Amino acid sequence: MSAEAIRVDRVRRVYPVGARGSLVALDDVDLTVAAGTFVSVIGPSGCGKSTLLRVIAGLEDPDAGAVSVCGNTPAQAAAAKMLGLVPQTPALLPWLSVLKNVSLPAKVNRAAGRRRRERSGNGGPDMVELLRKAGLQDVMHKLPSQISGGMQQRAAIVRAFGLHPDVLLMDEPFSALDEFTREALQEQLLDLWDELKATVLFVTHSVSEAVRLSDKVVVMAPRPGRITDVLDIDLPRPRGPELLASAEFHAYEDLVRDRLRGAFQSTAAS
Ligand SMILES: Nc1ncnc2c1ncn2[C@@H]1O[C@H](COP(=O)(O)OP(=O)(O)O)[C@@H](O)[C@H]1O
Ligand SMILES: [Mg+2]
């Protein structure tokens, strides 16, 4: 794997609005994400976070600029299952058990799974083991409707990790959950990330979530959608409850909040 898992180079994305207007969702966006790191994207609603993820996932093409994922185009990376995407809502198949839901992508993409395992040099993650790590061992034979929203979201995350992607893109995966569930899921996500050595690009609205999870926090501003800051989060891991209560942690939260305020103001001024 190249040292750069994601490279976004001068990307522009413009949407038509009405008959003549247009909206610049991404303006000259540059971003590099080093392999194995955890990077969060934060910014006001409408600043282009989801657009950035869709362009990196290969679901949309940029109008200018280029994107590469592990040295490939997004389409190639997606076809080779190097890329995983966790959407905001879990979207599990209602008629399949939790275990069958999370095992399905690996089954459907057996050839891709084999290639990935050869490349990563291990047997790939065992789904039952991943479910156990995510605290879902007791519900793996239940249907999605029989478990809580938090458990469904955990299952969706396990499913995404199940293909052992090099790059995992997550678009506000915890935004619908209560604070308590959210913190537990953050911990489980960090455990999976640490074990599977994936690169994660994570969109969030929450300052504390961004600081807790990330090596870097990317701050975006809208109209036009652009990156205004990239902040290094130099905190030790694992990031347990003690660290979350520390002055250092709060100082990083203040820093991100301050830059976010700048992003909001730069909107008003433009
Ligand atoms: N398919 C689309 N057509 C037109 N405008 C869009 C489309 N998708 C997003 N936009 C606009 O582009 C901007 C960025 O959207 P989005 O990436 O969803 O922002 P965020 O995820 O940061 O809230 C917003 O103003 C949004 O209304
Ligand atoms: Mg969005």
Side-chain angles (χ1 to χ4, degrees), residues 157-202:
I157 291 165
V158 167
R159 179 178 57 184
F161 272 109
L163 278 172
H164 206 342
D166 295 293
V167 172
L168 197 53
L169 306 172
M170 306 179 84
D171 197 352
E172 304 194 43
F174 303 154
S175 60
L177 306 173
D178 63 83
E179 193 67 20
F180 182 75
T181 307
R182 199 174 172 130
E183 283 187 10
L185 283 195
Q186 289 166 3
E187 199 161 333
Q188 281 154 355
L189 173 60
L190 287 175
D191 285 348
L192 284 172
W193 166 70
D194 186 46
E195 176 160 357
L196 300 175
K197 312 286 176 220
T199 306
V200 177
L201 189 62
F202 185 97

Side-chain angles (χ1 to χ4, degrees), residues 1-7 31-39 68-71 82 116 119 165-168 193-194 196-201 215-216 237:
M1 203 199 301
S2 62
E4 272 173 14
I6 303 173
R7 183 180 190 88
L31 176 67
T32 55
V33 178
T37 61
F38 199 119
V39 175
S68 75
V69 177
C70 306
M82 292 171 170
R116 308 254 343 92
R119 229 148 43 83
D166 295 293
V167 172
L168 197 53
W193 166 70
D194 186 46
L196 300 175
K197 312 286 176 220
T199 306
V200 177
L201 189 62
D215 297 309
K216 284 178 194 288
R237 295 183 187 270

Side-chain angles (χ1 to χ4, degrees), residues 13 15-17 23-26 43-52 54 60 171-172 203 205 220 223:
R13 181 80 182 107
Y15 294 115
V17 178
L23 187 147
V24 181
L26 295 174
S45 177
C47 69
K49 303 181 296 294
S50 296
T51 304
L52 178 63
R54 286 196 302 271
E60 282 180 30
D171 197 352
E172 304 194 43
V203 171
H205 263 114
M220 292 184 69
R223 285 182 292 278

Side-chain angles (χ1 to χ4, degrees), residues 13 22 72 108 115 136 166 203:
R13 181 80 182 107
S22 63
N72 298 277
V108 171
R115 272 203 311 282
L136 295 170
D166 295 293
V203 171

Side-chain angles (χ1 to χ4, degrees), residues 145-156:
S145 61
Q146 296 171 312
I147 63 175
S148 69
M151 285 179 168
Q152 290 180 29
Q153 194 54 284
R154 259 183 273 172

Side-chain angles (χ1 to χ4, degrees), residues 40-251:
S40 289
V41 180
I42 196 166
S45 177
C47 69
K49 303 181 296 294
S50 296
T51 304
L52 178 63
L53 245 56
R54 286 196 302 271
V55 167
I56 295 170
L59 300 174
E60 282 180 30
D61 289 325
D63 295 291
V67 177
S68 75
V69 177
C70 306
N72 298 277
T73 66
Q76 289 167 336
K81 304 295 163 201
M82 292 171 170
L83 254 174
L85 183 65
V86 178
Q88 201 163 336
T89 48
L92 300 171
L93 298 173
W95 60 88
L96 290 182
S97 70
V98 169
L99 177 60
K100 286 191 171 142
N101 259 289
V102 302
S103 306
L104 188 65
K107 280 214 174 76
V108 171
N109 298 287
R110 202 167 267 157
R114 196 164 50 235
R115 272 203 311 282
R116 308 254 343 92
R117 283 192 291 278
E118 279 161 13
R119 229 148 43 83
S120 62
N122 64 37
D126 167 356
M127 300 318 290
V128 172
E129 180 60 16
L130 284 186
L131 286 171
R132 197 186 58 71
K133 287 213 167 70
L136 295 170
Q137 68 275 25
D138 295 336
V139 300
M140 63 185 173
H141 299 300
K142 294 197 184 233
L143 296 173
S145 61
Q146 296 171 312
I147 63 175
S148 69
M151 285 179 168
Q152 290 180 29
Q153 194 54 284
R154 259 183 273 172
I157 291 165
V158 167
R159 179 178 57 184
F161 272 109
L163 278 172
H164 206 342
D166 295 293
V167 172
L168 197 53
L169 306 172
M170 306 179 84
D171 197 352
E172 304 194 43
F174 303 154
S175 60
L177 306 173
D178 63 83
E179 193 67 20
F180 182 75
T181 307
R182 199 174 172 130
E183 283 187 10
L185 283 195
Q186 289 166 3
E187 199 161 333
Q188 281 154 355
L189 173 60
L190 287 175
D191 285 348
L192 284 172
W193 166 70
D194 186 46
E195 176 160 357
L196 300 175
K197 312 286 176 220
T199 306
V200 177
L201 189 62
F202 185 97
V203 171
T204 180
H205 263 114
S206 161
V207 170
S208 65
E209 181 164 273
V211 173
R212 181 186 193 184
L213 295 174
S214 312
D215 297 309
K216 284 178 194 288
V217 175
V218 175
V219 181
M220 292 184 69
R223 285 182 292 278
R226 64 203 187 278
I227 292 174
T228 49
D229 272 293
V230 179
L231 304 166
D232 287 309
I233 309 297
D234 260 323
L235 292 170
R237 295 183 187 270
R239 296 181 181 167
E242 241 163 71
L243 186 83
L244 300 192
S246 70
E248 282 177 283
F249 187 84
H250 293 309

